[in-house]
Amino acid sequence: VISLCMLMAFYLHSNSGTASTSSGAGTGAVNNNGSMTKKNSQSIRGSNGSDGSGSGGSVGTKIIPDTNAHVNKSAQVNPGGSATKDIPSKGENLPKSITLKTTEGDIVINLRPDLSLPSVQYIQRLLDDPSPCTNCRFYRAEKPGILQGILVKKNVKPNKILGECPEEMKGKKHDCPPHDPNCGCHGPIMKKGMIAWAAGKGGPDFFIDSYERPAKWWNTDHTVFGEVADDESMGVVMSMYQLPATKKSLTMLDVPVHFEISSP
């Protein structure tokens, strides 16, 4: 009897140890070999694509936006679309602009010594001469694009020096018109508002380009020395095309429009 009781006590003690070892609070997992391994609580996903809780739901990933993704890193440009530059004076006190005072209104012209310094020097001599500009006048108005006049004083020798060919136009083919078979490159392709000496010469007759599109048909024949400064001045230019005129080979104003020149 005593031996039987001792055997039963040993049996009960062995089962209690096994239960305490195989139970637990779910803090571990059993490998195939029966050894215990600790779960990695920092894992985002389980090996089966589920989260660490075993629920099988995907865990979303927070995306941090790149704050530079839409930053414009290009250089700023002038609001007008074009780059600005200083016009060199070559050390001389040259006028930056002149005003042609007519009975139809004032025409302000910005001078371009960078395109033709001798032309601007000639205009400076006209301004320095105290005599009135008796012969200064507009006499031709070809719609829609040529208002022609003369800028001269009897005491001032007219300019005869032509402009230089712009760098971007050098080496390009240049066809000369019949009236000027020995023409050359003396300025840029003219645009609306540009002012140049007429007939491919150096003055004193000049014209204002009023065409809406670049005058490629003139090529680079003309010496440009200025530009109409503002819309108001251009309005005065355009109003002269409405004046009485007679067309023969050229369209000449019936009454030429006299002007005086001044500088601010």
Side-chain angles (χ1 to χ4, degrees), residues 34-58:
S35 63
M36 299 291 295
T37 61
K38 185 178 180 181
K39 281 187 180 178
N40 181 5
S41 61
Q42 299 300 317
S43 174
I44 299 299
R45 291 179 179 273
S47 61
N48 63 350
S50 65
D51 62 14
S53 66
S55 63
S58 298

Side-chain angles (χ1 to χ4, degrees), residues 59-123:
V59 176
T61 304
K62 183 178 180 180
I63 299 175
I64 301 174
D66 179 3
T67 55
N68 292 321
H70 301 288
V71 175
N72 183 358
K73 298 180 181 179
S74 62
Q76 291 184 347
V77 297
N78 186 294
S82 57
T84 59
K85 65 177 181 179
D86 294 329
I87 297 176
S89 64
K90 301 291 181 72
E92 300 182 40
N93 187 26
L94 296 173
K96 293 183 179 180
S97 65
I98 58 172
T99 300
L100 309 185
K101 303 184 75 68
T102 82
T103 56
E104 304 299 314
D106 293 350
I107 301 172
V108 181
I109 297 170
N110 290 331
L111 299 173
R112 295 291 305 270
D114 57 321
L115 296 179
S116 177
L117 179 61
S119 298
V120 178
Q121 291 171 329
Y122 168 66
I123 292 172

